[in-house]
């Protein structure tokens, strides 16, 4: 039986905010609060698409269903998409909204994460407020974070798992980072990297006769800063270049942001409800996480259920298989970024309700209606996107559903279609369809993430723009594997 109060299962009510002129004036972005959502394009009117069209677009077997097709990118590692999920968990958590009413003022919606890429999902509230996340006593008391390896009695393959309570739940800063095996292994990897950095900084201080030994609170703060800055560097130089293109990243860093402005870091709904949901298209149906190991279906539980201990050594992730590292491995690649999703995402098995509630595509599109998002082509016009790119994108949208016409295209769908037919900007001036975001999507995603860093006095872009990472840790692949212990032997 359908629960009428289940998230996303109520009909859309309250259309009167579409006529509210307060939406269309200039917004004082400097007055936004860090713990609230906001709008990136408050001057644009909202678009609305009939719910029956949205149901048709996202139905199983429909235009957005990839079916049995396997269409991988040429060079985007599958691990980058899960890194993108980790980034999302680091900056956003909306636990209050649903589809049952229009969200005319996102400033009233609480964001339960700090929008500053500060790894609070790793560190929680720190060793004083949450000491159970940290070692107690000894040289690294209150400095190093605990993992399953610190709990010999823990069920499963504890030395390659997060610290868990007796009921199997991970003891971490954000429980969402245990919802699938790859994201939980990424959480573990960054915890291990922090511990590795703490060890290196401590050992270097001891070896330097002119320096005071680094320990205690000072060591924790130094290790946290270095870990966080290396992570942020990877967000800009690995994730954003892969998803948005190096020319877009360099333009924003070199010439400044045009559309994500103001003095307060906040999460725009155009980012969280539309642009940053591009990863749903790139999730592959199956992955290989160990060299010579089996390929695992991401959706059938073969990699292990979320929120549970690692029990099979074959599901321990070797990051050399999923992200670029110095080792010459054959990487598992992400699916192309286009208007297709793997079939199971259009019929989510854990949702109880009518078909439209089970389709991730329809749910995303309905959220665009509820949040009063502007039309994709209107955002493109505001940005000054090349007419040829807009025309090609609208033609692709018409292939998905001719009833949409050329006016009021849902922003999320426009961004997927733009990625499919235009694609990521390349350094030679060309574009690579299907490999990354097109002009609208790339600008929103890159400006927001770079803006969050520039508006944070504690980030490397806000505190020290001369920061250069240590060579041994200067890419996602390097810091993902530098602290990786010897992997369990496959049967």
């Amino acid at each position: 039986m359908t629960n009428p109060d289940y998230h996303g299962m109520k009909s859309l009510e309250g259309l009167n905010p579409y006529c509210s002129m307060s939406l269309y004036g200039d917004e004082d972005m400097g007055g936004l609060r860090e713990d609230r959502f906001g709008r990136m394009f408050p001057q644009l009117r909202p678009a609305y698409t009939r719910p029956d069209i949205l149901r048709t677009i996202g139905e199983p077997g429909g235009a957005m269903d990839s079916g049995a097709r396997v269409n991988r990118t040429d060079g985007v590692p599958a691990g980058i998409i899960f890194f993108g999920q980790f980034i999302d968990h680091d900056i956003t958590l909306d636990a209050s909204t649903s589809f049952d009413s229009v969200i005319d003022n996102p400033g009233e919606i609480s964001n339960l994460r700090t929008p500053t890429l500060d790894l609070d999902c790793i560190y929680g509230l720190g060793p004083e407020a949450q000491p159970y996340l940290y070692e107690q006593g000894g040289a690294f008391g209150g400095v190093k974070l605990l993992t399953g390896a610190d709990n010999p009695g823990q069920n499963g393959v504890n030395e390659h798992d997060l610290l868990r309570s007796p009921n199997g739940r991970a003891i971490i800063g954000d429980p969402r980072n245990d919802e699938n095996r790859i994201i939980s292994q990424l959480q573990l990897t960054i915890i291990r990297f922090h511990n590795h950095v703490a060890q290196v900084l401590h050992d270097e201080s001891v070896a330097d006769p002119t320096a005071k030994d680094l320990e205690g609170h000072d060591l924790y703060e130094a290790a946290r800063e270095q870990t966080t800055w290396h992570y942020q560097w990877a967000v800009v130089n690995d994730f954003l270049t892969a998803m948005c293109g190096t020319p877009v990243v360099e333009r924003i860093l070199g010439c400044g942001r045009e559309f994500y402005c103001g003095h307060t870091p906040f999460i725009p709904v155009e980012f969280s409800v539309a642009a940053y949901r591009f990863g749903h298209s790139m999730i592959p149906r199956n992955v290989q996480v160990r060299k010579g190991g089996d390929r695992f279906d991401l959706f059938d539980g073969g990699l292990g259920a979320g929120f549970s201990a690692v029990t099979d050594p074959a599901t321990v992730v070797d990051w050399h298989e999923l992200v670029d590292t110095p080792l010459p491995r054959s990487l598992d690649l992400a699916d192309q970024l286009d208007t297709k999703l793997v079939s199971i995402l259009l019929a989510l098995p854990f949702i109880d309700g009518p078909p439209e509630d089970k389709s991730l595509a329809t749910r995303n599109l309905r959220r665009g209606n509820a949040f009063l998002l502007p039309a994709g082509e209107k955002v493109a016009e505001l940005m000054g996107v090349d007419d040829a790119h807009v025309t090609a994108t609208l033609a692709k949208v018409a292939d998905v559903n001719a009833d949409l016409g050329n006016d009021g295209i849902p922003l999320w769908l426009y961004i997927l279609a733009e990625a499919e037919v235009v694609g990521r900007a390349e350094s030679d001036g060309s574009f690579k369809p299907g490999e990354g975001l097109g002009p609208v999507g790339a600008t929103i995603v890159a400006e927001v993430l770079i803006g969050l860093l520039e508006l944070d006095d504690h980030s490397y872009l806000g505190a020290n723009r001369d920061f250069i990472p240590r060579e041994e840790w200067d890419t996602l692949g390097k810091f993902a594997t530098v602290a990786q212990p010897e992997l369990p032997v496959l049967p």
Side-chain angles (χ1 to χ4, degrees):
M1 175 180 291
T2 301
N3 180 351
D5 295 323
Y6 190 85
H7 178 84
M9 290 188 177
K10 295 181 179 179
S11 60
L12 183 64
E13 300 173 355
L15 293 180
N16 57 301
Y18 279 85
C19 302
S20 172
M21 295 304 293
S22 65
L23 284 173
Y24 312 133
D26 291 335
E27 183 168 327
D28 178 15
M29 290 192 173
L32 290 167
R33 291 171 49 177
E34 293 185 20
D35 63 344
R36 296 290 190 267
F37 290 83
R39 294 193 186 277
M40 192 170 181
F41 307 106
Q43 67 272 51
L44 292 180
R45 295 175 179 270
Y48 172 75
T49 305
R50 295 197 330 258
D52 60 303
I53 295 176
L54 302 184
R55 286 195 295 269
T56 300
I57 291 173
E59 65 186 2
M64 295 193 73
D65 193 334
S66 66
R69 183 198 68 160
V70 177
N71 197 19
R72 301 292 177 101
T73 60
D74 292 337
V76 180
I80 281 285
I81 308 307
F82 291 94
F83 187 54
Q85 182 185 20
F86 181 92
I87 295 168
D88 176 59
H89 290 180
D90 192 25
I91 58 176
T92 66
L93 175 56
D94 167 18
S96 62
T97 63
S98 66
F99 304 125
D100 63 348
S101 61
V102 167
I103 313 299
D104 61 325
N105 182 11
E108 295 178 351
I109 304 169
S110 295
N111 179 13
L112 301 182
R113 304 308 304 175
T114 55
T116 48
L117 292 159
D118 60 358
L119 288 179
D120 56 345
C121 58
I122 295 290
Y123 297 105
L125 298 176
E128 292 185 359
Q130 292 182 298
Y132 50 83
L133 296 177
Y134 296 83
E135 284 191 19
Q136 299 299 305
F140 295 97
V143 176
K144 287 187 176 181
L145 289 148
L146 297 171
T147 72
D150 299 300
N151 187 15
Q154 181 172 303
N155 291 334
V157 190
N158 65 294
E159 66 271 24
H160 295 281
D161 198 0
L162 297 166
L163 180 69
R164 295 185 181 276
S165 64
N167 68 359
R169 289 296 178 126
I171 305 174
I172 53 178
D174 188 330
R176 294 176 298 169
N177 283 351
D178 192 31
E179 66 186 20
N180 66 63
R181 181 64 67 234
I182 295 180
I183 198 73
S184 75
Q185 290 277 287
L186 183 54
Q187 172 89 7
L188 176 64
T189 292
I190 297 181
I191 289 173
R192 285 171 169 166
F193 180 66
H194 164 86
N195 292 345
H196 176 76
V197 171
Q199 187 70 57
V200 169
L201 295 181
H202 170 74
D203 292 349
E204 288 177 345
S205 73
V206 171
D208 183 353
T210 66
K212 178 183 177 182
D213 289 357
L214 199 55
E215 57 188 18
H217 177 75
D218 291 340
L219 177 57
Y220 167 74
E221 291 295 341
R224 177 169 183 167
E225 179 181 81
Q226 283 296 302
T227 299
T228 303
W229 283 8
H230 279 79
Y231 156 69
Q232 293 168 348
W233 178 273
V235 170
V236 174
N237 295 280
D238 289 308
F239 179 75
L240 287 182
T241 56
M243 293 293 92
C244 303
T246 298
V248 174
V249 174
E250 290 181 344
R251 183 190 76 231
I252 295 169
L253 289 173
C255 302
R257 293 168 275 118
E258 294 184 65
F259 307 103
Y260 180 77
C261 303
H263 304 289
T264 301
F266 75 100
I267 302 298
V269 290
E270 296 91 341
F271 171 89
S272 62
V273 177
Y276 205 69
R277 294 178 182 242
F278 71 86
H280 295 162
S281 167
M282 301 188 79
I283 301 171
R285 178 74 200 223
N286 56 72
V287 295
Q288 182 168 313
V289 298
R290 296 287 303 277
K291 184 177 181 180
D294 294 333
R295 298 195 69 82
F296 289 103
D297 190 308
L298 284 172
F299 305 100
D300 69 356
L303 263 177
F307 310 108
S308 62
V310 176
T311 57
D312 184 354
T315 65
V316 173
V317 172
D318 180 356
W319 291 106
H320 297 291
E321 297 293 304
L322 293 179
V323 296
D324 283 309
T325 74
L327 292 188
R329 293 281 186 87
S330 179
L331 284 176
D332 232 33
L333 299 174
D335 275 0
Q336 285 198 1
L337 177 47
D338 53 26
T339 55
K340 304 289 186 182
L341 278 67
V342 295
S343 298
I344 196 169
L345 295 181
L346 304 182
L348 296 168
F350 51 84
I351 299 295
D352 179 23
E356 60 267 26
D357 289 335
K358 294 174 178 287
S359 169
L360 183 59
T362 298
R363 292 167 71 89
N364 286 345
L365 293 166
R366 291 167 66 192
R367 288 184 75 81
N369 262 358
F371 276 83
L372 306 183
L373 295 189
E377 75 276 11
K378 296 302 181 183
V379 177
E381 180 183 349
L382 180 67
M383 288 183 175
V385 173
D386 188 285
D387 287 344
H389 290 163
V390 176
T391 299
T393 301
L394 292 177
K396 181 68 229 179
V397 169
D399 287 344
V400 175
N401 191 288
D403 290 335
L404 286 169
N406 288 331
D407 295 307
I409 306 303
L411 182 56
W412 178 66
L413 180 60
Y414 184 95
I415 287 169
L416 295 186
E418 179 190 62
E420 182 171 346
V421 297
V422 180
R424 186 184 64 203
E426 301 293 290
S427 296
D428 62 3
S430 65
F431 290 83
K432 200 162 186 180
E435 293 291 305
L437 291 160
V440 170
T443 299
I444 294 174
V445 169
E447 283 208 9
V448 169
L449 291 180
I450 290 172
L452 293 178
L453 292 173
E454 290 181 332
L455 294 171
D456 175 14
D457 291 340
H458 300 287
S459 79
Y460 87 92
L461 284 179
N464 181 9
R465 292 176 79 92
D466 288 334
F467 169 73
I468 298 175
R470 294 171 65 137
E471 184 176 357
E472 66 268 31
W473 305 335
D474 64 0
T475 67
L476 172 63
K478 287 182 179 178
F479 82 68
T481 58
V482 68
Q484 181 169 279
E486 185 176 347
L487 296 169
V489 177
L490 292 175

